Amino acid sequence: MLAAIKICDTALMGVADRANDMEPSDELHKIRLAVGSVLTEIDQQLISPTLRRHPELLPDAEEMKLR
């Protein structure tokens, strides 16, 4: 699960990075807010509850920079 989340995190950050070079500042702001919102929801709804139930996964999450 953590590996799949890391792939998603990387892909979303890539979208935000590519938008940086292509979009005007107002659109860039919207894209960054959207990416941040998605990543926040993934953390609140998936990562955090999983780590509470399985604290032994915390070192892996930290290594993947998901924590």
Side-chain angles (χ1 to χ4, degrees), residues 18-38:
R18 284 187 302 278
N20 194 45
D21 298 329
M22 303 169 130
E23 298 294 337
S25 63
D26 60 326
E27 288 300 314
L28 179 60
H29 180 71
K30 292 176 189 175
I31 291 167
R32 289 193 177 276
L33 282 175
V35 167
S37 294
V38 170

Side-chain angles (χ1 to χ4, degrees), residues 2 6-8 11-16 19 28 34 46-49 51 53 55 57-58 61-63 66:
L2 292 175
K6 182 61 179 175
I7 290 167
C8 182
L12 287 168
M13 293 307 293
V15 167
L28 179 60
L46 190 56
I47 298 171
S48 291
L51 293 177
R53 286 189 307 275
L57 295 175
L58 184 58
E62 288 173 342
E63 183 178 321
L66 296 173

Side-chain angles (χ1 to χ4, degrees), residues 1-2 41-58 61 67:
M1 179 198 71
L2 292 175
E41 284 298 315
I42 289 171
D43 179 57
Q44 291 177 351
Q45 301 297 324
L46 190 56
I47 298 171
S48 291
T50 299
L51 293 177
R52 279 194 296 275
R53 286 189 307 275
H54 302 282
E56 70 276 7
L57 295 175
L58 184 58
R67 274 278 123 184

